Amino acid sequence: MIIDAIPGDKSISHRAIIIGSLTNGTTTFDGFLKSEDCLCTLEIFRQLGVEISMDSTTVTIHGKGVSELKKPKNQLHVGNSGTGIRLISGVLAGLPFDTEITGDASIQQRPMDRIIDPLTQMGAKITGNHGLPPLKIQGQTKLKNGWVYHMPVASAQVKSCILLSAITTGVGVSVHEPEPCRDHTERMLQLFGATLTTTNGVIELTDPSLTAPVERIQIPADISSALFFICLSLMTNQPATFKNIGLNPSRVGCLTVLKMMGADINIVPKKNSYEPMGDIQVGATHTLKNIEVPLSLIPNVIDELPILAILATACEGTMIVRGAQELRIKESDRIDGICRLVNALGGNIKEYEDGFDIMGPITSPQNIHFDAHYDHRLAMSGLIAAKAFGTTANIEGKDSISTSFPNFLALLDAS
Ligand code: S3P
């Protein structure tokens, strides 16, 4: 089976809107993810005065540069998107007018001190509601030049927030990351002409000017979305090829885990200018065995752990996940959610503060009744589990799927 309908990468689609809007020039992005999260980011930049047109999944941004951004009339709203609020707050911190930004009920429970603290140290005036949104960001502040930030957690959202604040305020900055995390912001800033290097975990932005407009860019399909259907192929022993998937090294840890489990995965790389991409071929599978996920891979696979947990329920042995405490502060508490889902399916899971053990394989899969707490990845994991095990799924909060994967249900029906 050939699957070429995996939608565009969510992380890259957010950055496309943001960085395209900060550039002086017109950029067309093909393969934009038209999901609720990314559309909120797009609307925010329209509110900031940027002309953006959209035709299917092609988005054209008529950027006029940072100095032409306008004070929005209303509070900005990121919907359900943690990436949206953290990255855009960085942008706003460097602008010469006051703004306020918030999101839905889940966003209003997500910690923002991880960006408030560094931005404040950098000179921004940003206040939250006890560290939670809404965030009030005061304009007219000049951020420090050459500031060096040591991130306490490996977070691409925090790193990107700092880099983007440096872009809008026009200063240099260095960010030290404790472990590598996704580098889409760095790649796109470089593509648009910023001078930025990464050496041994230090990202150094020395010239924040985006001097090189780019006419047309392809956004690859989202590997995090593809993985739901890759796992379904593996669980149902159906070979499949997934076309034009993003293969950025900071995102392909899930494929490493699958290979360690014994999956037959082959990559056919394709040419793309700034983000690696290619086809992922899933072969006729051998029996998969659960593994201990290496600690060093955790930041790379953090979004994929819910669906990997479902795969683990079908495999021999124990999947061990530790060092994944960040899962507790995603769209929902995903460690709690994974445990509730595996239990609802009739599997065997033990919860830890920073992870879980899953003892497979499941002997009698159950019809699933599950509250996804409006968390798209938990809802999709539940639906894949039911499809793979031939049970039914009654999932509360599955509307959340439209935040990241609008055609998920159609693809699932066709599988
Ligand atoms: C994202 C970074 C990751 C990831 C999130 C998207 C991004 O979070 O979990 O879904 O686009 O920057 P961290 O900031 O914790 O790395």
Side-chain angles (χ1 to χ4, degrees), residues 39-103:
L39 289 171
C40 283
T41 292
L42 186 151
E43 262 327 302
I44 286 177
F45 279 88
R46 281 187 175 149
Q47 283 178 260
L48 288 163
V50 183
E51 188 192 332
I52 305 175
S53 58
M54 187 164 49
D55 179 9
S56 179
T57 55
T58 294
V59 167
T60 300
I61 305 174
H62 302 274
K64 295 213 166 72
V66 174
S67 60
E68 293 302 306
L69 295 177
K70 302 276 179 293
K71 181 174 165 58
K73 291 197 181 76
N74 300 311
Q75 190 188 49
L76 302 171
H77 206 283
V78 298
N80 187 246
S81 178
T83 303
I85 195 160
R86 296 201 176 108
L87 270 60
I88 296 169
S89 296
V91 168
L92 300 174
L95 295 179
F97 43 76
D98 298 353
T99 45
E100 195 172 318
I101 188 163
T102 192

Side-chain angles (χ1 to χ4, degrees), residues 10-11 15 83 87 114 154-158 160 181-182 302-303 326 330 377:
K10 179 148 78 92
S11 292
R15 286 151 173 91
T83 303
L87 270 60
R114 55 179 55 202
S155 163
Q157 294 173 352
V158 172
S160 303
C181 52
R182 65 190 71 191
I302 197 83
D303 288 349
E326 283 287 300
K330 292 293 178 189
R377 296 201 198 280

